[in-house]
Amino acid sequence: MSIGGTGHAEADRGEQGGMRTALSGLTTRGRSFLAAGVAAAICAYVLGQSDLLRVGLLLAVLPLVCASVLYRTRYRVAGSRRLSPARVPAGSEARVHLRMDNVSRLPTGLLMLQDRVPYVLGPRPRFVLDRVEAGGRREVSYRVRSDLRGRYPLGPLQLRLSDPFGMCELTRSFSTYDTLTVIPRVEPLPPVRLSGEATGYGDGRQRSLALAGEDDVIPRGYRYGDDLRRVHWRSTARYGELMVRREEQPQRARCTVLLDTRDPAFQGAGPDSAFEWAVSGAASVLVHMLERGFSVRLLTDTGSSVPGEGADGFAGASQETADSAGLMMDTLALIDHSDGTGLSRAYDVLRGGNEGLLVAFFGDLDEEQAAVAARMRRRSGGAVAFLLDSDTWVREPTDVAGPWDRSEERLRMLREAGWTALSVPRGASLEELWRQADRERTGFVAASGEGPA
């Protein structure tokens, strides 16, 4: 952006508007000189002192001339901003690189550079740039950090111009913004053998018939390059043309991560609240399952999912894995409490078919919502629930005897329905809970006589 162009546009608004803008930029020194000059001129007129009048006029005219010259200065400066990285986990730092280029044929004077940032990212950065030669460049950088998820605008850049006498300062702004996305913390999870589909297929992977053009058990016409050992002679004799067998192919294992966002289900706020733990846990499971090659879907209590995902979610173990993870992290960066009071919408989505492995992060559940959550288990090959009782997160342990009993009752209901349900105490490690869920699931499979998970 050309700073000179911006100043010229403001000057075209009229002499009166331009003078008012210039006078508004007078510093304390400039206002003092102007006031002293006016006072000296009045005294000189009253006392009839011509020498004092000259001094008064000099004092009054100097800040006005500086303001006028500075206002009409045509600096052509181009500015750019680069974030490294543009997506950062909560609690981590990102560096913002600023670059200023003098694209005019004249050197600039002293420039004061300032970038506007939200208060949650830290103090507003300010830099003083010395004289920039014609065609010269200056680069500076600063760090930002936030413990709160969200998307934060950075900018616009502002240049503060000052005259050599310090009488006037004017601000010129660029028009471009950049956005820093603060995503939830992701905790690395160990590989476990949680079942993701119907029993008997191992590691949650099932086999199904592929679509046309894929390999399945239904014969199809011979195509150039097909292996002759796959010729199906019975079908060839029946149809009068060469037919080949299609073979079964494993279908990608699926995983649905359900995040409870109901406002009544969580108490407290801030980076150490139960809701933030649930969001971070959902993000960790999503990334982990994508890396293991699962087709992953994020679902909330409102029945909504990530915009752009397919019917089976985002596919893992592919070139698009990083993009899929980034899209889901961006969604979780902005997710907030919903106005809903129940889980029925999420249940309606889940009962549409076998959703593979279901990993749920629940807040407080009353008896009715616990019953709804229990029914969700029927439509999944395996189900793991992390139950966060908000009372245990906002009160001292000695005060939660009653709520703890209620939480145990909800866990019992989920376990009887087939869930691998775990209670999440305040400050718990998801990695340890993940291992515990694997141990409990393995014990349940062994006790029920199911195949390997």
Side-chain angles (χ1 to χ4, degrees), residues 88-94 120-122 144-150 152 180 182-183 185:
V88 62
S92 301
E93 290 184 343
V120 296
L121 299 182
V144 291
R145 179 181 181 274
S146 175
D147 292 327
L148 300 176
R149 299 175 293 108
Y152 301 101
L180 175 68
V182 180
I183 62 176
R185 297 183 181 92

Side-chain angles (χ1 to χ4, degrees), residues 374 377 382-384 412-421 441 444:
R377 171 64 180 86
V384 180
R412 183 188 62 80
M413 293 179 61
L414 294 178
R415 287 166 180 167
E416 290 179 350
W419 285 84
T420 302
R441 171 65 184 171
F444 172 78

Side-chain angles (χ1 to χ4, degrees), residues 69-89:
V69 171
L70 184 64
Y71 180 77
R72 298 179 180 277
T73 299
R74 294 296 184 266
Y75 288 145
R76 299 186 63 232
V77 181
S80 62
R81 182 190 301 101
R82 177 172 58 87
L83 304 182
S84 178
R87 184 188 292 117
V88 62

Side-chain angles (χ1 to χ4, degrees), residues 183-202:
I183 62 176
R185 297 183 181 92
V186 174
E187 185 175 348
L189 299 179
V192 297
R193 300 183 64 189
L194 293 172
S195 175
E197 293 289 354
T199 59
Y201 293 106

Side-chain angles (χ1 to χ4, degrees), residues 420-439:
T420 302
L422 301 176
S423 178
V424 181
R426 180 170 55 184
S429 169
L430 178 62
E431 178 183 358
E432 293 300 324
L433 293 174
W434 192 250
R435 294 183 186 274
Q436 182 180 349
D438 178 42
R439 291 193 296 268

Side-chain angles (χ1 to χ4, degrees), residues 90-401:
S92 301
E93 290 184 343
R95 182 167 290 275
V96 183
H97 301 269
L98 304 178
R99 170 177 162 179
M100 305 300 300
D101 295 277
N102 183 10
V103 296
S104 65
R105 299 181 180 179
L106 300 176
T108 69
L110 186 68
L111 301 178
M112 286 175 283
L113 181 63
Q114 174 178 278
D115 203 6
R116 299 185 62 180
V117 300
Y119 72 94
V120 296
L121 299 182
R124 180 172 297 183
R126 295 180 174 88
F127 305 93
V128 177
L129 304 181
D130 294 332
R131 177 178 178 271
V132 182
E133 66 278 5
R137 176 190 305 169
R138 296 291 185 272
E139 294 184 2
V140 294
S141 64
Y142 64 93
R143 293 177 296 179
V144 291
R145 179 181 181 274
S146 175
D147 292 327
L148 300 176
R149 299 175 293 108
R151 302 187 68 186
Y152 301 101
L154 301 179
L157 276 172
Q158 293 181 334
L159 277 180
R160 183 172 295 179
L161 312 178
S162 178
D163 67 279
F165 300 101
M167 298 288 181
C168 183
E169 290 183 353
L170 295 179
T171 301
R172 296 290 185 264
S173 296
F174 293 78
S175 59
T176 57
Y177 291 81
D178 286 283
T179 301
L180 175 68
T181 303
V182 180
I183 62 176
R185 297 183 181 92
V186 174
E187 185 175 348
L189 299 179
V192 297
R193 300 183 64 189
L194 293 172
S195 175
E197 293 289 354
T199 59
Y201 293 106
D203 241 359
R205 302 181 189 279
Q206 69 176 172
R207 303 177 68 85
S208 66
L209 300 182
L211 299 175
E214 299 285 338
D215 288 336
D216 58 28
V217 296
I218 303 176
R220 61 169 173 81
Y222 174 81
R223 297 173 185 170
Y224 178 77
D226 285 339
D227 190 347
L228 293 178
R229 291 175 295 180
R230 294 170 55 192
V231 173
H232 194 266
W233 297 108
R234 182 179 300 177
S235 299
T236 299
R238 178 180 179 182
Y239 292 102
E241 59 177 323
L242 202 59
M243 306 291 290
V244 296
R245 293 189 305 270
R246 295 174 178 174
E247 298 177 354
E248 290 183 345
Q249 289 290 338
Q251 183 180 1
R252 188 183 301 276
R254 291 174 292 178
C255 175
T256 298
V257 178
L258 173 61
L259 177 60
D260 184 4
T261 64
R262 295 172 298 130
D263 185 63
F266 295 94
Q267 300 179 28
D272 296 327
S273 64
F275 181 69
E276 292 302 320
W277 193 98
V279 174
S280 178
S284 302
V285 173
L286 287 170
V287 172
H288 176 72
M289 288 302 183
L290 274 175
E291 291 175 348
R292 290 194 62 194
F294 279 66
S295 292
V296 179
R297 179 173 66 170
L298 172 63
L299 183 66
T300 67
D301 57 286
T302 61
S304 60
S305 56
V306 180
E309 70 178 17
D312 293 333
F314 291 104
S318 63
Q319 296 180 351
E320 293 80 15
T321 299
D323 295 336
S324 301
L327 185 57
M328 287 189 289
M329 291 301 103
D330 289 345
T331 300
L332 289 175
L334 299 177
I335 202 165
D336 202 354
H337 293 289
S338 68
D339 297 331
T341 59
L343 301 171
S344 57
R345 293 183 180 177
Y347 173 73
D348 292 338
V349 175
L350 291 174
R351 69 178 181 179
N354 193 332
E355 297 299 331
L357 176 64
L358 174 60
V359 182
F361 293 85
F362 293 121
D364 293 333
L365 296 175
D366 56 25
E367 186 174 357
E368 179 183 356
Q369 300 310 316
V372 175
R375 292 197 299 270
M376 295 179 182
R377 171 64 180 86
R378 303 173 185 173
R379 306 307 304 176
S380 63
V384 180
F386 297 96
L387 185 60
L388 293 91
D389 191 336
S390 296
D391 286 332
T392 63
W393 286 71
V394 298
R395 301 181 185 177
E396 294 299 327
T398 56
D399 300 333
V400 295

